[in-house]
Amino acid sequence: MSDQTLSEAPGATQDTAVVVSRLVSHPIKDVWKVLLTDEGTEALLGPGGRLGDKGQGWQADDGTHGVTRSFHPLEQIRFSWHRDENAPATLVDLHLSAEGEDRTKLEIVHDKLPADADRDWLTEHWTKALDRISEDAL
């Protein structure tokens, strides 16, 4: 599938969260289906990253890792996320919402961030993940 990015919101930083979003020109069912493939989860998590069932751990080649917390079909994927082995657990929610019949809004909310979290790095990290999903996986 090819994709055209229709709009993109720059990373927004809240007190405890980083939020990035993207509107893609694909129906929500197609986006969800792709996100559940190896290519889709790798686009989200980075090379080597594979989400499993609820409660299963995951690890990407760059050392980021966590545990799958929940899947709500066509709505949300939630997982814990550690930047490295010594980093505290944070929480990432990928929300999907239909924008008409043929468009889907993807929003990543990375929450429970410690005060010293590099929010600029995280904004760039998740923006690139949405780029990979919308440009490469779809």
Side-chain angles (χ1 to χ4, degrees):
M1 278 187 238
S2 65
D3 173 65
Q4 283 187 317
T5 301
L6 299 174
S7 69
E8 178 177 338
T13 304
Q14 300 173 347
D15 289 340
T16 63
V18 166
V19 180
V20 294
S21 63
R22 177 79 37 87
L23 186 61
V24 296
S25 59
H26 293 283
I28 196 167
K29 287 182 181 183
D30 293 348
V31 175
W32 182 256
K33 183 177 177 182
V34 167
L35 283 171
L36 297 182
T37 67
D38 288 347
E39 182 180 52
T41 59
E42 200 168 271
L44 176 63
L45 301 173
R50 301 283 189 276
L51 289 172
D53 292 330
K54 184 176 179 179
Q56 289 185 325
W58 64 270
Q59 182 163 350
D61 294 346
D62 67 0
T64 56
H65 64 281
V67 175
T68 302
R69 296 293 180 201
S70 65
F71 283 100
H72 296 278
L74 305 175
E75 294 178 11
Q76 177 197 47
I77 300 171
R78 177 181 292 151
F79 52 92
S80 64
W81 189 86
H82 301 259
R83 185 169 178 177
D84 59 47
E85 194 168 307
N86 299 317
T90 57
L91 190 62
V92 176
D93 277 309
L94 172 62
H95 299 271
L96 291 82
S97 58
E99 299 286 326
E101 291 183 27
D102 297 327
R103 297 184 296 171
T104 302
K105 180 180 179 184
L106 298 165
E107 180 178 72
I108 293 176
V109 178
H110 191 158
D111 204 1
K112 309 286 187 204
L113 298 172
D116 64 347
D118 186 342
R119 285 169 168 74
D120 290 336
W121 184 89
L122 289 167
T123 297
E124 182 178 344
H125 176 80
W126 294 118
T127 298
K128 288 179 179 178
L130 290 180
D131 288 345
R132 288 189 301 268
I133 293 167
S134 62
E135 295 169 7
D136 300 337
L138 287 171

